[in-house]
Amino acid sequence: MRTGRWYLGLSLLACATAAQAEDGYRLWMRYAPATASQTADPVTVRGEQTPMLAAAAAELRRANPAGLGPVMLAHANDPAVTALRLPVATLGDEGYLVRSVTIDGRPVTLVTGTDRGILYGTFALLRHLATGAAPTRIDLTSRPRVGLRMLNHWDNLDGVVERGYAGRSLWDWWTLPDYRDPRYTDYARANASLGINGTVLNNVNAKVESLTPRYIAKAAALADIFRPYGIKVYLSARFSAPVELGGLKTANPKDPAVAAWWAAKSDEIYRAIPDFGGFLVKANSEGQPGPRDYGASHADGANMLAAAVRPHGGIVLWRAFVYADTDPNDRAKQAYDEFKPLDGQFAKNVIVQVKNGALDFQPREPFHPLFGAMPRTPIAPEFQITKEYLGFATHLAYLAPLFSETLTADTHTRGHARVSQVIDGSLDRHRLSAIAGVANIGDSRDWTGSSFNQANWYAYGRLAWDPSLTPQAIAREWAMQTFGTDPKLLDTVVAMMMASREAVVDYTGPLGLAHLMATGHHYGPGPWVADLKRPEWNPVYYHRADAAGIGFDRTKTGSKAVAQYAPGLAKLYADPKTTPENELLWFHHLPWTYRMASGATLWDTLVQHYDRGVATVDTLRTQWQQTKPLVDPERWQKTDEFLAVQAREARWWRDASLSYWMSLNNLPLPAGSPPPAHDLAWYKAQTFPYPPGNPQ
Ligand code: GCV
């Protein structure tokens, strides 16, 4: 029989191995092991030891940054803090102040604010130090611009994540609420480190069972784990639940029995989860039930649910992602047409959640025309962190430039308000403000399917806190925390990240082209697809290419979608010469021979973009080779192999697309541009059954 000592040795070895493994589990929170010279216990908590302060203190103890002396966590109204007369009055509910001060003659790093402020200040301090700052003369202060900073999980109750490419759902619904996987706490820590304060646990294509007592208990267990990290739990609600669960004959929002059912259901949820955030709803979209089934409006539906959660302080996030097979109108116009007339009709605790673009999370879309068009309604942008249309988990595409492009876009409303001013509530003085990101998280060991995908979770969280941060700065701080502070490594990694999203745009759909992917999986090329039941499911609907030209005319000679933008912008979009080149074919149908600003033809320019996309991915591979001595083997190897896939698939996208365009326009490739590797028939014949994340 083995001795106890042997077992101890084995478990220590296991710990050491786990601690050293660079499998990506630790995300950007890769604290260095403590050394003998570090403060034994770096933290003092003053006043009441709330669960949130305990979580903050635990994080500091876990990190125990080298060189940092004692840290004091104290509420802003603690006498020790008020005596210092610090500028804490403007911190609000969530802001923090972190400063090197002297208290009772002793130098300390003070972290102050509310409970939440201290939690976020703690993570800000750790980030500050992990990104190379000195542990002395610290002076950090910040407060979030957006109130509700949410992740939306498209996780099904059977563990499949719709559009998820990082394994199965993190939530093990089967063993909840009894088994509380420690990973749930690590999930909460990661989110708190970014300031994310809300999570929608289940898919917007919601199953009604998530509202049964059994599943409410499971959600409550997660809420208990997340609470000390400042994260509220929300649920996606299926609009027809009163019929399917409650046995009512209707889910008509105007029926008092339906309203009463939702009120009782909300009471039940709040009994289990007293700080439940509220409901997210996808209604009358892609087959989901909704108020339109009963002739009622989206506002009627949202307000009925809002009334149910209002007594408990809850909110309703109502999605504007709607388009109907019965509507022959340009799909990109339909959400605006449906929602704009409802401005002013939503209850005070409703937020309308709008995808960043009018179509569907494409590699590039102009910002959604609803931003700035509904001044009496809080509008939340919804971004997709998971890369449904940008190469799943395999392709490297750093999304901060995409998120930031929308957030900084000039709406041309009320002066030159930016989308960020619309969504943070400042433009129209809304009390509520929110931002949502569709999570890329699963149960894969590295959480997101690749090291670089972690950067998209990180960047989303950082931009949700402060939309004015630059993608470059976020990339640098993420890379420092994730890969280390070597300057050569950092320069290379940041350069790779900053080039990556545009590369994907170039090899999949440059110059404003969109939705060109093959049926179902949204991964590979299928610009020729024309046989799907609904016109707007077919790529040919979006590019409208023929022998003469390419692009979707959304001007007054076409679908008139440009008129949905504020007049100043609509005027710019109406003319190809004043439309940004990277959105050109989104708004205009142009001859292949159209002369671009450079003097080159549209066709030659299009080909140049495809070639540039392929060349950029080749450069990413070369750059990554240079990092080999500076990155641990496990993470380096996986990234290297994924980049090889991306290089192959960028060529596939380019070649398939060009073969198809040439079959229409019969034009030669510009000099120096290589012919596609196969003929069009070969590309059309490729099939990819069972892609991940695809709803079955
Ligand atoms: C959750 C796209 C995706 C769907 C997704 C939908 C939505 O259509 O392909 O998987 O459904 O958007 O955002 O509701």
Side-chain angles (χ1 to χ4, degrees):
M1 197 175 145
R2 289 165 182 155
T3 65
R5 184 181 292 276
W6 189 90
Y7 270 118
L8 183 66
L10 187 70
S11 67
L12 282 177
L13 180 71
C15 283
T17 313
Q20 281 154 18
E22 291 289 2
D23 54 13
Y25 183 83
R26 290 181 295 158
L27 296 161
W28 47 88
M29 300 181 299
R30 297 167 67 255
Y31 308 134
T35 62
S37 64
Q38 280 166 253
T39 319
D41 182 359
V43 202
T44 322
V45 181
R46 274 185 70 96
E48 194 196 340
Q49 311 267 331
T50 63
M52 223 175 265
L53 293 194
E59 199 66 28
L60 273 165
R61 291 188 180 111
R62 181 194 294 254
N64 199 359
L68 184 68
V71 181
M72 179 182 285
L73 309 184
H75 289 125
N77 59 4
D78 185 287
V81 179
T82 48
L84 295 169
R85 298 180 181 284
L86 297 169
V88 292
T90 53
L91 294 182
D93 285 347
E94 296 189 296
Y96 57 79
L97 186 138
V98 183
R99 203 178 266 197
S100 307
V101 296
T102 303
I103 294 181
D104 298 334
R106 223 168 50 107
V108 294
T109 305
L110 172 70
V111 183
T112 190
T114 59
D115 248 21
R116 266 170 197 272
I118 293 170
L119 180 72
Y120 297 142
T122 298
F123 281 108
L125 171 63
L126 294 176
R127 178 166 60 242
H128 182 67
L129 298 173
T131 49
T136 53
R137 282 195 260 163
I138 294 170
D139 188 3
L140 307 171
T141 186
S142 182
R143 59 180 289 180
R145 295 253 309 271
V146 181
L148 306 173
R149 304 173 297 279
M150 323 251 310
L151 281 183
N152 290 184
H153 288 270
W154 286 357
D155 293 21
N156 294 331
L157 304 184
D158 64 1
V160 172
V161 182
E162 183 159 345
R163 310 308 176 188
Y165 314 108
R168 290 172 62 79
S169 173
L170 208 52
W171 326 132
D172 185 353
W173 292 112
W174 187 252
T175 57
L176 278 166
D178 304 306
Y179 175 59
R180 300 177 176 215
D181 189 334
R183 196 162 185 178
Y184 301 148
T185 305
D186 288 336
Y187 164 87
R189 288 175 48 235
N191 281 320
S193 80
L194 305 171
I196 287 171
N197 62 5
T199 185
V200 183
L201 298 175
N202 60 322
N203 192 353
V204 286
N205 291 330
K207 291 278 187 245
V208 79
E209 288 84 353
S210 61
L211 297 173
T212 57
R214 192 173 142 80
Y215 278 89
I216 291 170
K218 294 169 190 285
L222 290 174
D224 289 344
I225 297 167
F226 300 162
R227 193 168 294 113
Y229 294 91
I231 299 164
K232 277 189 184 183
V233 153
Y234 297 68
L235 290 174
S236 294
R238 184 165 164 84
F239 199 77
S240 51
V243 176
E244 292 158 16
L245 268 191
L248 301 189
K249 290 220 159 38
T250 177
N252 187 340
K254 294 184 172 164
D255 187 319
V258 171
W261 188 88
W262 280 110
K265 183 52 69 182
S266 300
D267 293 347
E268 180 190 343
I269 295 174
Y270 277 95
R271 276 195 297 278
I273 312 173
D275 57 351
F276 178 62
F279 295 121
L280 170 66
V281 186
K282 172 176 178 177
N284 295 119
S285 166
E286 299 184 333
Q288 294 301 311
R292 307 290 282 142
D293 301 343
Y294 306 97
S297 74
H298 284 278
D300 295 328
N303 294 348
M304 183 267 299
L305 283 177
V309 293
R310 189 168 44 226
H312 307 283
I315 62 152
V316 170
L317 291 139
W318 192 270
R319 295 176 90 223
F321 176 66
V322 295
Y323 60 100
D325 50 353
T326 47
D327 189 343
N329 226 332
D330 176 0
R331 172 175 162 187
K333 288 178 68 182
Q334 294 183 26
Y336 179 103
D337 286 348
E338 180 111 28
F339 277 78
K340 162 88 178 149
L342 300 176
D343 190 26
Q345 294 182 29
F346 288 97
K348 291 244 172 316
N349 56 333
V350 175
I351 299 178
V352 172
Q353 185 165 307
V354 177
K355 285 190 182 181
N356 62 288
L359 191 53
D360 193 9
F361 300 137
Q362 298 303 294
R364 171 167 284 116
E365 286 184 56
F367 73 85
H368 202 298
L370 277 172
F371 296 119
M374 295 182 67
R376 297 168 68 196
T377 311
I379 301 285
E382 178 179 313
F383 294 104
Q384 199 181 43
I385 309 170
T386 190
K387 305 204 308 293
E388 175 181 353
Y389 296 99
L390 289 102
F392 295 2
T394 347
H395 292 203
L396 166 49
Y398 171 53
L399 298 182
L402 188 161
F403 304 154
S404 190
E405 210 166 87
T406 298
L407 292 168
T408 59
D410 179 354
T411 64
H412 290 248
T413 55
R414 284 153 287 152
H416 284 275
R418 306 277 147 182
V419 169
S420 61
Q421 293 168 272
V422 174
I423 63 107
D424 70 10
S426 61
L427 185 69
D428 300 305
R429 297 176 191 282
H430 292 301
R431 186 181 56 83
L432 284 180
S433 61
I435 182 167
V438 179
N440 62 351
I441 302 161
D443 70 351
S444 73
R445 184 67 190 159
D446 65 8
W447 301 85
T448 58
S450 87
S451 292
F452 278 100
N453 280 339
Q454 297 177 354
N456 293 331
W457 178 6
Y458 184 91
Y460 165 73
R462 297 287 287 133
L463 283 167
W465 180 277
D466 183 355
S468 71
L469 292 173
T470 67
Q472 172 106 13
I474 297 172
R476 202 166 183 87
E477 64 174 50
W478 172 80
M480 272 189 167
Q481 294 169 85
T482 303
F483 288 122
T485 51
D486 181 281
K488 180 165 176 275
L489 174 67
L490 284 177
D491 289 348
T492 308
V493 165
V494 172
M496 290 174 67
M497 291 167 78
M498 292 305 291
S500 60
R501 179 269 190 143
E502 204 58 39
V504 177
V505 172
D506 277 338
Y507 63 72
T508 61
L511 299 177
L513 291 173
H515 217 295
L516 303 174
M517 31 298 280
T519 304
H521 54 69
H522 296 171
Y523 189 73
W528 48 81
V529 174
D531 59 351
L532 301 179
K533 199 166 72 194
R534 287 170 58 162
E536 77 285 355
W537 284 351
N538 292 294
V540 295
Y541 170 92
Y542 295 99
H543 63 67
R544 305 190 170 212
D546 57 18
I550 182 169
F552 197 132
D553 181 4
R554 294 191 160 103
T555 69
K556 64 174 190 247
T557 53
S559 81
K560 304 182 177 57
V562 294
Q564 294 184 332
Y565 289 94
L569 189 54
K571 194 164 169 233
L572 295 176
Y573 282 153
D575 181 351
K577 299 282 175 224
T578 51
T579 301
E581 196 167 285
N582 59 18
E583 295 173 345
L584 190 64
L585 301 176
W586 180 277
F587 289 112
H588 302 282
H589 184 85
L590 297 169
W592 296 105
T593 51
Y594 174 80
R595 289 277 158 202
M596 308 289 284
S598 67
T601 64
L602 170 61
W603 169 240
D604 284 0
T605 309
L606 198 65
V607 178
Q608 278 161 17
H609 277 275
Y610 282 111
D611 286 341
R612 190 176 74 176
V614 170
T616 305
V617 179
D618 287 344
T619 305
L620 297 183
R621 289 189 76 189
T622 318
Q623 289 169 309
W624 190 245
Q625 290 296 324
Q626 292 157 14
T627 69
K628 191 167 185 178
L630 303 167
V631 176
D632 53 278
E634 193 173 339
R635 290 186 301 166
W636 189 87
Q637 191 65 29
K638 183 171 179 183
T639 304
D640 190 54
E641 287 171 14
F642 273 15
L643 284 168
V645 173
Q646 188 173 4
R648 188 179 70 226
E649 294 180 343
R651 281 184 170 74
W652 168 39
W653 262 99
R654 173 212 179 260
D655 289 358
S657 308
L658 290 180
S659 294
Y660 174 64
W661 304 136
M662 287 193 289
S663 78
L664 300 175
N665 66 16
N666 283 310
L667 289 169
L669 289 168
S673 186
H678 303 278
D679 63 13
L680 181 58
W682 188 89
Y683 293 107
K684 285 186 172 179
Q686 302 306 305
T687 55
F688 297 89
Y690 310 117
N694 217 31
Q696 301 301 322

